[in-house]
Amino acid sequence: MTTNSVLEGPLASLAKSAWQSVLVIGVLSVILGIMMLVWPGPTLVVAGILFGIYLVVTGVLQLVAAFGTSASAGMRVLLFVTGVLCIIVGIFCFRDELASIMLLGLWIGIGWLFRGIAILMGAISEPVPGRGWQIFFGILTAIAGVVLIVWPITSTTTLVLVAGIWLIVLGVMEVITSFGIRKDAKGIPAGV
């Protein structure tokens, strides 16, 4: 059995057309990255609105879970309170663009802070491979979280710019990869 005999019928066709999908993803990544760099303000506003939508939907789902589960009374109260708080904070995101950006920055910052502390504590308490790197990563993530908490708007703007640059780099790599896939797919025999 040859390597190409695995790619029979529809799989060979899929391999030959896969480069187009990778190319489209790459081009879209580059376009989105450029838009983020050219218009960081509107990008932040959209991110803040999406964050508000996320919070409202999460709040509604938590309220549904509070009334629809067979959980304990304490868990139902917790789900109800967090659901109401999520909805209230989500509504604040719709009322004020600056508040939504600030809340998004705080949300990311708190998440990074907790993640950094968890990674750091895990690396300190358990002998894991790459322990030094884990400790370094935990400290770096926790510091990034603190920076986002202290300066949420400035840090979030910087994140948008970094994400824009990263999307452009990833998009260019995807475009290059797509042409490599196209070249390799041309080498597959037609009957395979």
Side-chain angles (χ1 to χ4, degrees):
M1 176 184 270
T2 65
T3 307
N4 287 339
S5 66
V6 174
L7 298 171
E8 295 177 0
L11 289 178
S13 174
L14 179 64
K16 290 182 179 182
S17 66
W19 75 273
Q20 295 167 344
S21 298
V22 176
L23 177 65
V24 168
I25 291 169
V27 169
L28 290 176
S29 293
V30 169
I31 291 170
L32 181 59
I34 291 170
M35 288 173 59
M36 290 173 77
L37 291 177
V38 172
W39 298 297
T43 302
L44 279 173
V45 171
V46 170
I49 291 170
L50 291 175
F51 180 62
I53 292 169
Y54 163 78
L55 287 175
V56 169
V57 169
T58 299
V60 168
L61 292 175
Q62 286 179 343
L63 288 177
V64 168
F67 292 110
T69 64
S70 58
S72 67
M75 183 57 108
R76 286 177 180 238
V77 169
L78 183 62
L79 286 169
F80 179 80
V81 170
T82 56
V84 169
L85 288 175
C86 280
I87 291 171
I88 291 170
V89 172
I91 290 170
F92 277 119
C93 288
F94 299 131
R95 295 189 65 191
D96 184 10
E97 296 171 357
L98 191 60
S100 68
I101 295 166
M102 186 181 73
L103 289 169
L104 179 60
L106 289 172
W107 184 274
I108 295 169
I110 291 168
W112 284 2
L113 178 62
F114 284 140
R115 181 169 186 220
I117 291 171
I119 291 170
L120 182 61
M121 291 298 114
I124 290 172
S125 65
E126 297 290 325
V128 292
R131 185 178 191 179
W133 285 110
Q134 291 289 327
I135 291 171
F136 175 72
F137 181 68
I139 292 170
L140 197 62
T141 304
I143 290 171
V146 169
V147 168
L148 270 162
I149 292 168
V150 173
W151 298 289
I153 295 174
T154 306
S155 301
T156 309
T157 304
T158 303
L159 281 177
V160 167
L161 296 175
V162 170
I165 292 167
W166 187 244
L167 280 170
I168 291 171
V169 169
L170 288 177
V172 168
M173 295 305 295
E174 290 284 347
V175 169
I176 293 168
T177 301
S178 72
F179 289 115
I181 293 170
R182 179 180 174 200
K183 179 183 172 197
D184 290 345
K186 284 184 178 181
I188 297 174
V192 177

